[in-house]
Amino acid sequence: MTDTSISFMRSLCGGEIEQEVLFPFPRLGPAEAETIAAVVDSVDSLLEGRAEEFRAWDVAGEMPSEFLDELREFGLFGLIIPEEAGGMGFGNLAYSRTLQQVARHDASVAVTVGAHSSIGMRGLKLYGTEEQKARYYEKLARGEMIAAFCLTEPGAGSDAASVRTTAIDRGDHFLLNGSKIWITNGGIADFFTVFARTAEVDGKGKLSAFIVTRDMPGVSVGPHEDKMGLRANSTTTVTFEDVRVPKENLLGPLHGGFKVAMNILNNGRSGVGGGTVGAMKRLIGLAAQHATQRKQFGQPIGNFGLIKQKVGQMVVDCYATEAAVTLTAALTDRGYEDTSVESAIVKIFSSEALWRTADEALQTAGGGGYMRELPYERILRDCRINRIWEGTNDILRLYIALTALNDVGQRLKEMSSSLKGIFDHPIKGFGLLYDYARRRANWATGLPTAKSSLSKAHLALRPQAELFEDLTRDLAAMADRLLRKHGKHIIGKQFATRRLADVMIDLYVLACVLSRVTSAIETKGLDGAQAELWVAQVFSGQAGRRARSNFRQIDENEDEQVKSLAEHAYERQGYAWDIL
Ligand SMILES: Cc1cc2nc3c(=O)[nH]c(=O)nc-3n(C[C@H](O)[C@H](O)[C@H](O)COP(=O)(O)OP(=O)(O)OC[C@H]3O[C@@H](n4cnc5c(N)ncnc54)[C@H](O)[C@@H]3O)c2cc1C
């Protein structure tokens, strides 16, 4: 029986490799693969050959309403809604693969469709009552209602708990007042998942989530924001003025809205991941074409080492992202309850891999890459947002590392309390101590234990698996050491926690790559999977060097000087020097 309460990464920080979670690499069943292939083909038939339109909508900063009708007709707003309610009934993996295909053509279109399912109506799917689902599912599936997620306010960005919008209990309804900013799909949505304060404890708001519809008196939206990228997708303010929200529109538990918001964001991240893979595949196609066609110094530029380095790296980044996106989406589908750390890792890795890829593809195109006639600069502008929204990558790095350290701290606390109570509960106490001592000994000596091995990786990947095992021991030892050194003050040690998070990101993605390449070797043989073996070799070499450098820098660094220089700039409100 699978233990679906396990989180691969949270276990890893305690030094335990729960390899059953990631092996074997998920494979779609024949029926599901056939359905998705048909959807992917029809996405292509809808969006192929429309590049000029997408470019024009980017310049105009708007998507025509007739095109939204085409998306509706196509059923693209019903991807995650059950079939009996008129949707496609897709799980996370199928959903993410479909968004990949849309994003290959245009990011604004992908975000219009993606924000609806990933965050706009995800709360209804996760927390809605049967009655709420019956009321809205069919309209949402047909795109008769497009959905938006309303959390951010001028004073509440990363610090979502400081939302000021209020919902006051007035007996048969809640009275909603406040204003939200930068709401994706704001201008075209009719269904809003809104977060508002319903109580206050120690100056901090207790949030609740509500379903609010456009037809409720007092709901209004502002004009489209003039954005850097995703210009054809609607982003607006949404304002609520004395909106009477019926009691039955409360979504999830009263005062439990913060958790609802975080779960929606965690669950919806496979959409962002799928989109990034689609954009990377397109960029690799463009870069490979340009590298082989453009001649300089009497030969195709693709012959030069520096161009090969860029394109080869794009392939590694894309393969690694696809492995991590696929595995993580499948974990949610297979019922794993806690994938929040893994999902955060996927969001960070995929958004940064796409940014690198877009930047290097543009560089490969030279001056042409800078021209608006070609798609590179638009893709670069469009993809920048992925590092900011749905939790900035900085905040998610803190979340990843602090969640892991909290687990380690919890174990240490259990250990110290068992030490105190050792004579009351000798067996439990000695058991915990023995377990901890054994794990510490293992981190120091590398002696094998039941959970210290990545034995499911193919034998051809043994060197990479050994690297993973070594780095896992180092990670657990480092987490333990950081916590002993800083205790609860670790929360303020962002330089160190960032490095720990970066190691965790590399280790998770490496494990996903090893799982995927193992599966490729098993199905295609070593020769058939040769190129994928190269990916594993390159990625593990790079991840290993980054991780070792991050570990080293936790102790050897210039962090204090860097902080002083930041304060130097704050004091002067700018840079201090000139050569004049
Ligand atoms: C195009 C677009 C679409 C969007 N769509 C939606 C939407 O549909 N719904 C919605 O609710 N929101 C949406 N947002 C808002 C988005 O989620 C927020 O912009 C994001 O959460 C960051 O908040 P902020 O912009 O207020 O930045 P801030 O929170 O002010 O952060 C500024 C910087 O400080 C860093 N920072 C903040 N706190 C800390 C800390 N404790 N430690 C270290 N660093 C820190 C951040 O990482 C960031 O780099 C959208 C934004 C944009 C631009």
Side-chain angles (χ1 to χ4, degrees):
M1 260 270 292
T2 315
D3 179 359
T4 52
S5 67
I6 294 172
S7 151
F8 182 79
M9 284 313 291
R10 293 177 74 163
S11 305
L12 201 73
C13 290
E16 298 193 331
I17 303 174
E18 297 283 358
Q19 54 178 344
E20 284 73 16
V21 179
L22 297 190
F23 287 80
F25 191 76
R27 216 174 288 159
L28 294 164
E32 200 182 4
E34 205 176 302
T35 311
I36 300 172
V39 172
V40 160
D41 282 348
S42 56
V43 165
D44 283 343
S45 69
L46 174 72
L47 303 177
E48 200 83 67
R50 304 184 76 159
E52 277 313 307
E53 285 174 80
F54 299 144
R55 193 178 147 219
W57 302 344
D58 171 68
V59 174
E62 196 149 20
M63 192 178 283
S65 60
E66 303 78 54
F67 180 71
L68 283 173
D69 288 339
E70 288 185 60
L71 296 179
R72 289 185 177 101
E73 253 167 60
F74 232 78
L76 281 175
F77 291 106
L79 295 175
I80 64 163
I81 294 173
E83 287 176 78
E84 55 275 19
M88 303 236 197
F90 279 179
N92 269 336
L93 182 51
Y95 170 65
S96 149
R97 179 61 189 84
T98 307
L99 268 199
Q100 179 195 133
Q101 205 65 21
V102 181
R104 274 189 187 209
H105 297 277
D106 185 68
S108 282
V109 179
V111 166
T112 302
V113 170
H116 169 86
S117 294
S118 295
I119 53 175
M121 51 141 294
R122 181 75 60 163
L124 178 67
K125 182 155 178 168
L126 293 176
Y127 291 96
T129 60
E130 286 314 309
E131 191 275 328
Q132 288 171 335
K133 288 177 180 170
R135 207 157 8 123
Y136 297 111
Y137 259 171
E138 287 185 10
K139 288 183 183 163
L140 288 162
R142 288 196 296 269
E144 213 173 283
M145 285 185 132
I146 293 179
F149 174 86
C150 302
L151 178 63
T152 305
E153 298 179 5
S158 302
D159 182 9
S162 55
V163 154
R164 311 255 20 129
T165 295
T166 53
I168 297 169
D169 191 339
R170 286 283 161 83
D172 66 336
H173 67 272
F174 288 93
L175 196 66
L176 184 67
N177 274 292
S179 211
K180 302 286 178 178
I181 56 169
W182 306 332
I183 302 307
T184 301
N185 285 351
I188 56 171
D190 307 277
F191 177 102
F192 302 95
T193 301
V194 182
F195 297 87
R197 271 179 190 230
T198 38
E200 199 159 306
V201 178
D202 300 332
K204 276 275 174 193
K206 285 272 171 204
L207 304 188
S208 303
F210 298 93
I211 297 168
V212 178
T213 52
R214 186 65 160 264
D215 55 4
M216 291 181 183
V219 177
S220 61
V221 302
H224 285 196
E225 298 288 349
D226 188 7
K227 307 195 292 288
M228 167 185 181
L230 298 180
R231 290 177 51 77
N233 169 249
S234 159
T235 308
T236 67
T237 55
V238 182
T239 302
F240 311 101
E241 228 181 308
D242 287 336
V243 179
R244 292 162 73 100
V245 181
K247 277 276 165 80
E248 63 265 26
N249 282 27
L250 176 71
L251 190 59
L254 184 67
H255 311 320
F258 187 76
K259 197 165 171 214
V260 172
M262 294 307 118
N263 273 347
I264 292 175
L265 292 171
N266 281 334
N267 234 272
R269 285 202 176 107
S270 52
V272 172
T276 61
V277 174
M280 278 191 260
K281 287 185 177 176
R282 174 157 185 228
L283 285 160
I284 294 170
L286 288 167
Q289 261 175 30
H290 187 76
T292 46
Q293 286 164 12
R294 169 73 172 165
K295 286 192 177 152
Q296 286 290 277
F297 303 99
Q299 53 180 311
I301 58 165
N303 286 353
F304 299 121
L306 291 183
I307 299 290
K308 283 188 180 154
Q309 187 188 30
K310 293 186 205 311
V311 178
Q313 184 63 47
M314 290 177 207
V315 173
V316 171
D317 268 334
C318 186
Y319 186 96
T321 305
E322 195 174 31
V325 168
T326 305
L327 249 165
T328 312
L331 289 185
T332 324
D333 289 345
R334 279 158 48 198
Y336 280 93
E337 292 143 32
D338 178 8
T339 59
S340 64
V341 171
E342 292 79 3
S343 300
I345 289 178
V346 169
K347 150 69 160 74
I348 296 171
F349 187 84
S350 63
S351 60
E352 295 177 2
L354 172 54
W355 180 251
R356 285 192 293 275
T357 302
D359 184 43
E360 288 291 55
L362 189 150
Q363 187 74 8
T364 303
Y370 201 71
M371 298 299 148
R372 298 189 89 172
E373 199 183 334
L374 296 181
Y376 301 96
E377 64 83 31
R378 178 151 54 91
I379 300 176
L380 194 80
R381 283 189 284 112
D382 285 347
C383 78
R384 183 61 182 83
I385 188 60
N386 291 321
R387 291 166 55 200
I388 298 174
W389 65 11
E390 297 196 17
T392 69
N393 286 11
D394 318 81
I395 295 291
L396 291 180
R397 278 190 161 86
L398 297 178
Y399 172 74
I400 290 168
L402 292 177
T403 305
L405 286 167
N406 186 45
D407 292 344
V408 175
Q410 212 56 43
R411 275 185 223 118
L412 286 176
K413 217 184 327 168
E414 274 173 29
M415 222 193 50
S416 75
S417 65
S418 62
L419 197 60
K420 278 191 211 121
I422 206 157
F423 295 106
D424 301 332
H425 303 284
I427 294 174
K428 183 179 165 220
F430 278 123
L432 277 167
L433 269 181
Y434 171 75
D435 188 45
Y436 178 72
R438 181 184 53 73
R439 275 194 282 131
R440 280 200 69 134
N442 170 256
W443 303 337
T445 58
L447 287 173
T449 66
K451 297 210 168 141
S452 64
S453 154
L454 197 67
S455 57
K456 287 182 184 291
H458 193 273
L459 222 54
L461 296 165
R462 190 68 317 253
Q464 288 73 36
E466 269 171 26
L467 174 77
F468 180 87
E469 292 158 4
D470 288 348
L471 291 174
T472 299
R473 278 191 293 274
D474 293 345
L475 172 72
M478 182 56 81
D480 187 82
R481 190 160 76 73
L482 277 176
L483 212 65
R484 284 164 180 282
K485 186 168 166 195
H486 300 295
K488 63 179 192 294
H489 301 294
I490 190 66
I491 290 177
K493 304 284 173 196
Q494 294 195 345
F495 284 66
T497 43
R498 187 206 154 114
R499 290 181 183 120
L500 198 72
D502 281 343
V503 173
M504 290 174 67
I505 294 166
D506 268 326
L507 278 181
Y508 182 61
V509 179
L510 176 56
C512 294
V513 168
L514 295 181
S515 170
R516 185 177 184 189
V517 178
T518 295
S519 159
I521 297 172
E522 283 165 4
T523 47
K524 302 177 214 171
L526 269 173
D527 285 346
Q530 179 58 63
E532 288 166 86
L533 199 57
W534 294 331
V535 171
Q537 288 162 351
V538 175
F539 189 82
S540 74
Q542 294 176 342
R545 284 188 290 279
R546 278 193 298 264
R548 297 234 146 93
S549 159
N550 272 314
F551 283 137
R552 204 170 42 250
Q553 286 180 51
I554 286 180
D555 295 313
E556 297 167 25
N557 58 61
E558 300 77 36
D559 295 351
E560 291 311 314
Q561 292 92 318
V562 171
K563 282 188 220 163
S564 301
L565 285 169
E567 274 152 23
H568 192 260
Y570 299 163
E571 276 163 28
R572 287 159 186 77
Q573 293 287 285
Y575 177 78
W577 301 284
D578 197 328
I579 55 155
L580 291 175

